[in-house]
Amino acid sequence: MGEQHDPDFAVEYRPESTQPVVPQEVQDFLFGLPDVSGFRFDGEPSEKRIIVMIASQLRANNLPHQYKGYTLEPLVTGKFHAY
Amino acid sequence: MPRVRNVAVAKPVVEMFAADYAPKVGVPTSVEGGQLTEPMIEAYQQLSQELSLLPRMGARRWVSLRVDGADISVSQLIIGVAIGAGTDVAQSKGPPGDPVLRLYVDKELSRERVAEFVAIAYDLRTLGSGAVPFEVVHTGPIDLLAHRMRMRPAPGGISCGHINITAGTLGCLARGRKAPRDGLTLIVSNNHVLANVNTANQGDPVLQPGPADGGMQPADVIAKLERYVTIDFTRSNFVDGATAAVTNPQDVRREQLFIKNAQPNFLTCGTTPAPVKNGLIVGKSGRTTQMTSGRITGVGAKIHVDMGGGRIAVFEDQIEIQGITGNFSQPGDSGSLVWTWDSQRLPVGLLFAGGGGLTFANPIHHVLNALDIDLL
């Protein structure tokens, strides 16, 4: 942003997530891996399965199967772009 | 949004929105591959004229052909004609690049059947005799690209955008929850569509259609940027949203656009957000892929999104959608309202990103709360 904006014009929005959130430690691990585009729970959080969206098949092949008791399931998606 | 290339498109044969614009169309005399023959020019002229008469005159509608057990009329079969360089040697029976007549057809038929049909319907026998080399191009129905054109009043699902972007989608209409914004008619779309990812200024013009679709100021200004939710590149975001105040409320309509039988149609969406759940069938109307249906395949997704120029923003609590048949969205669909695919069509989300066959939308309750608006 190159200039000051009226706070009623450029608003901030910091809500609570309305869906179950992957534990921060697991988030940090996943986003620390190369080419991870995103993740979400697969099913109920109690099932401890996480879909990991990942940019390439090669990276997906190297994704650990488990982390901190969570099963990691790769989904090759490429990278995400604003449409 | 990131700049996307402006895709060149074939002009529709039926100029339904330009009924009062009928200039004389010149006939090409050559293409890159060589000179056109007299029979080819005559065939092109005759077919062009016949096609332009069809919608108004019902010319030769009694001529039909049995295809797959059903009778189809000439107006259903041949939907366009052009002259171009040959691309299919087996069809044109000439060297590659030689001029050919190109016939656009709605149904997949052999060139022999098409030639037979043309001979019967138009008394034009030079195709069947071999005097005019031609290729049959199976296009299916040719849309009017109505989602990219200027339309007043402008519905949801149509092209729009800030003057410095390419094009996105006008999602829906809203009003502010508190005075004085409760007196405004607001367009809802993405920050990256209406506010060019935090870089726009209050009051900047918003064009319909968007610049990539030919929108120019001042003629196509439909609204002025009113508010956006800042996209933070240092922490998680929930919403890629913005509003623009409509200059003249008569210039917009609250329905969503869809094309049926090459005609623009409109459907109304509810205004009360629907609960988001896995497996829910949803729809959207967007500038690029028009009306599509999809299934919510995930909720609570946290994703990295390239907002253009390699700038990555993190979004959390997002809805993941996959198309039922083909992609649910493509670049240019950003800003589309996502709604339940049922008779109520309740709002679910605001489409903003995608890739790898997945589409992502902000939950609509986040959008409404962030922008402090209610849908109209």
Side-chain angles (χ1 to χ4, degrees):
Chain A
M1 295 199 324
E3 52 192 274
Q4 291 285 325
H5 281 305
D6 175 352
D8 281 338
F9 168 53
V11 300
E12 307 289 330
Y13 182 64
R14 302 276 164 232
E16 292 294 316
S17 188
T18 53
Q19 299 291 340
V21 176
V22 172
Q24 190 63 48
E25 187 181 10
V26 181
Q27 289 192 32
D28 293 342
F29 170 74
L30 292 174
F31 273 148
L33 296 173
D35 288 342
V36 167
S37 302
F39 47 81
R40 63 170 169 80
F41 279 119
D42 182 21
E44 294 300 315
S46 58
E47 297 174 41
K48 294 206 157 191
R49 287 200 316 270
I50 296 173
I51 297 283
V52 182
M53 302 162 212
I54 201 158
S56 71
Q57 185 64 55
L58 186 64
R59 297 292 192 194
N61 293 343
N62 294 326
L63 184 73
H65 295 295
Q66 291 255 327
Y67 183 76
K68 298 283 181 187
Y70 287 87
T71 302
L72 306 180
E73 299 178 9
L75 177 65
V76 179
T77 61
K79 297 189 174 182
F80 301 132
H81 299 268
Y83 271 1
Chain B
M1 67 178 291
R3 287 205 168 258
V4 295
R5 75 194 159 96
N6 187 10
V7 180
V9 292
K11 280 210 163 208
V13 172
V14 183
E15 300 267 4
M16 59 179 296
F17 289 104
D20 56 347
Y21 177 67
K24 289 202 179 300
V25 178
V27 180
T29 56
S30 67
V31 296
E32 203 169 323
Q35 290 291 314
L36 274 56
T37 62
E38 231 9 82
M40 186 182 292
I41 293 172
E42 286 172 9
Y44 172 80
Q45 286 178 317
Q46 184 180 344
L47 287 173
S48 294
Q49 189 179 7
E50 296 278 6
L51 287 166
S52 65
L53 289 174
L54 275 169
R56 290 192 290 273
M57 307 292 289
R60 299 177 190 267
R61 280 187 187 277
W62 64 88
V63 176
S64 62
L65 189 68
R66 196 89 180 152
V67 176
D68 296 335
D71 289 330
I72 62 167
S73 70
V74 65
S75 62
Q76 290 173 301
L77 176 66
I78 299 172
I79 53 179
V81 60
I83 289 175
T87 58
D88 186 338
V89 175
Q91 274 208 53
S92 64
K93 303 189 188 307
D98 264 15
V100 296
L101 194 69
R102 292 167 66 80
L103 294 175
Y104 304 119
V105 297
D106 186 20
K107 307 282 183 197
E108 198 159 5
L109 284 181
S110 70
R111 65 193 302 279
E112 288 73 25
R113 301 270 339 249
V114 172
E116 175 194 352
F117 204 20
V118 168
I120 296 169
Y122 298 132
D123 198 21
L124 179 61
R125 301 180 188 282
T126 48
L127 274 63
S129 72
V132 174
F134 72 100
E135 291 181 359
V136 174
V137 184
H138 177 224
T139 59
I142 297 177
D143 284 334
L144 292 170
L145 297 175
H147 290 249
R148 301 185 189 189
M149 62 171 43
R150 186 183 199 276
M151 191 180 287
R152 299 290 185 275
I158 204 163
S159 168
C160 81
H162 183 270
I163 47 169
N164 292 336
I165 72 149
T166 52
T169 297
L170 190 166
C172 57
L173 300 182
R175 65 171 166 245
R177 287 173 173 164
K178 299 193 246 336
R181 296 176 76 233
D182 58 351
L184 299 175
T185 302
L186 302 170
I187 285 172
V188 183
S189 186
N190 295 132
N191 174 328
H192 79 265
V193 172
L194 299 181
N196 197 17
V197 191
N198 305 342
T199 62
N201 292 305
Q202 196 163 21
D204 273 1
V206 170
L207 306 180
Q208 194 293 304
D213 296 324
M216 301 176 75
Q217 62 169 327
D220 300 314
V221 174
I222 195 168
K224 300 208 165 163
L225 180 62
E226 192 259 352
R227 176 173 286 189
Y228 68 77
V229 183
T230 304
I231 294 172
D232 192 327
F233 289 90
T234 64
R235 55 193 294 183
S236 277
N237 299 273
F238 292 77
V239 170
D240 176 0
T243 51
V246 174
T247 314
N248 176 2
Q250 305 300 316
D251 282 347
V252 290
R253 60 189 299 168
R254 59 182 295 266
E255 293 92 349
Q256 298 280 312
L257 173 66
F258 70 102
I259 304 298
K260 184 179 177 186
N261 298 329
Q263 301 278 349
N265 283 265
F266 305 94
L267 55 82
T268 304
C269 288
T271 57
T272 307
V276 177
K277 56 185 179 189
N278 264 324
L280 187 68
I281 306 296
V282 294
K284 75 98 187 57
S285 171
R287 173 263 184 196
T288 305
T289 58
Q290 307 189 356
M291 190 162 74
T292 57
S293 60
R295 185 188 308 275
I296 293 181
T297 48
V299 296
K302 187 163 186 173
I303 54 173
H304 282 171
V305 178
D306 186 336
M307 301 304 296
R311 288 175 302 164
I312 305 295
V314 179
F315 284 83
E316 71 174 87
D317 212 15
Q318 301 301 303
I319 303 169
E320 175 193 299
I321 303 165
Q322 289 191 38
I324 303 281
T325 55
N327 280 333
F328 185 66
S329 70
Q330 288 283 329
D333 286 330
S334 267
S336 301
L337 183 70
V338 178
W339 30 266
T340 57
W341 188 269
D342 56 23
S343 59
Q344 293 186 291
R345 295 185 283 274
L346 299 177
V348 170
L350 190 68
L351 192 158
F352 82 109
L358 302 181
T359 294
F360 293 96
N362 311 140
I364 197 69
H365 70 273
H366 281 318
V367 177
L368 303 184
N369 291 338
L371 291 165
D372 201 23
I373 54 174
D374 290 317
L375 297 183
L376 287 175

